[in-house]
Amino acid sequence: MIEVRDVSASIGPIRILSGVSLAAARGRFVTVIGANGAGKTTLLRTISNLLTPSSGRVTFDGKDTRGIAPHRLARTGLVHVPQGRQIVPALSVEDNLMLGASNIRGLARGDIREAIEREYARFPVLRARAGIAGGNLSGGEQQMLAISRAVLMKPKALLLDEPSLGLAPQLVALILKALREMADAGVAVILVEQLAMMSLSIADDAYVLRQGRIVLSGPAADLRGNASVVESYLT
Ligand SMILES: Nc1ncnc2c1ncn2[C@@H]1O[C@H](COP(=O)(O)OP(=O)(O)O)[C@@H](O)[C@H]1O
Ligand SMILES: [Mg+2]
């Protein structure tokens, strides 16, 4: 579904990503782990064309994404949940969810209602807060809202930038479970995280990013037992 081939990217004169290659097929849960500053955010921004690669190629659903605007990619199913959530603070929880569903053209009102109800069942706290402005939610609630909104956009591929940031472990587990369900339903999930061990315990495939390069990759379960990964991250 997503293929990144030998991609390099710079911000201004500074090279941030060097020759990164990775793949996320339909139904695969892929995690990219790396320390702060490794280039995780830059990688996701490059995949969703918020940043144009200086070389290499990104394909989505078999098509080269070069020159396609991020919002158009989102409409065709490449959905990016950026670091720091990005819900609409002034809109209510329910209106934020409606906004997500509006990404799908021709969806009947009843279907939208049903889809929103499914998200309320997944994260009951969102139902309890339905009428409250998104900006007044706690960090964890905003993260759940961001994920539910992304689900309502019916993604084929879902990119998530450190959804665990600042959240309690039980909440992180709830969010990872939602992502696992998305993958099991056929979505290609790419999760970038600093929380390596938790991500490795739930993902199918994993890549380790260090200073803008992939230094290790393989089945997530194998990386979980890899001494150098454990040494770098289990501290
Ligand atoms: N707007 C920017 N201008 C200059 N350097 C940046 C900018 N954004 C990120 N960087 C640098 O790029 C590197 C990778 O950043 P980032 O992709 O945000 O890493 P991560 O998400 O893994 O923490 C870091 O060294 C960071 O300082
Ligand atoms: Mg980041």
Side-chain angles (χ1 to χ4, degrees):
M1 186 57 64
I2 298 270
E3 205 175 342
V4 176
R5 251 182 264 163
D6 204 19
V7 159
S8 297
S10 300
I11 299 177
I14 306 163
R15 164 77 68 97
I16 309 288
L17 299 177
S18 305
V20 171
S21 296
L22 64 86
R26 183 186 300 273
R28 293 304 274 188
F29 190 148
V30 173
T31 188
V32 178
I33 57 176
N36 195 21
K40 303 182 297 299
T41 295
T42 304
L43 173 60
L44 292 192
R45 289 176 59 82
T46 305
I47 294 174
S48 58
N49 258 349
L50 289 160
L51 186 69
T52 304
S54 45
S55 63
R57 209 150 83 106
V58 176
T59 58
F60 166 58
D61 208 4
K63 293 183 207 78
D64 196 324
T65 61
R66 184 178 301 268
I68 306 177
H71 70 275
R72 290 196 46 217
L73 286 174
R75 277 206 175 271
T76 55
L78 176 53
V79 174
H80 183 171
V81 179
Q83 194 167 357
R85 295 124 200 169
Q86 270 192 28
I87 53 147
V88 186
L91 287 183
S92 71
V93 166
E94 176 127 339
D95 286 345
N96 267 280
L97 294 174
M98 294 288 282
L99 201 61
S102 71
N103 190 53
I104 312 303
R105 266 178 269 232
L107 204 62
R109 276 180 94 89
D111 294 340
I112 292 177
R113 192 67 250 160
E114 206 173 286
I116 289 178
E117 288 300 324
R118 271 200 301 276
E119 293 313 308
Y120 285 156
R122 185 199 305 278
F123 298 127
V125 67
L126 294 183
R127 189 198 302 277
R129 300 254 192 277
I132 291 177
N136 291 335
L137 299 180
S138 73
E141 290 163 354
Q142 287 189 29
Q143 191 64 67
M144 289 184 262
L145 178 55
I147 287 172
S148 278
R149 195 177 65 165
V151 172
L152 288 165
M153 291 172 78
K154 288 253 188 306
K156 291 179 184 163
L158 184 58
L159 313 178
L160 300 117
D161 198 343
E162 294 199 53
S164 73
L165 214 64
L167 302 191
Q170 311 93 291
L171 211 47
V172 175
L174 193 65
I175 283 168
L176 290 177
K177 180 170 167 270
L179 301 182
R180 181 71 255 179
E181 286 168 9
M182 293 290 286
D184 292 342
V187 176
V189 174
I190 300 182
L191 167 70
V192 309
E193 263 298 346
Q194 283 191 67
L195 276 191
M197 289 305 146
M198 263 184 122
S199 314
L200 292 176
S201 68
I202 201 153
D204 299 309
D205 310 307
Y207 296 82
V208 179
L209 190 64
R210 191 171 295 153
Q211 296 179 348
R213 294 173 192 277
I214 301 290
V215 293
L216 204 61
S217 65
D222 291 0
L223 262 64
R224 203 158 183 252
N226 180 296
S228 84
V229 173
V230 173
E231 197 178 303
S232 306
Y233 293 100
L234 202 65
T235 49

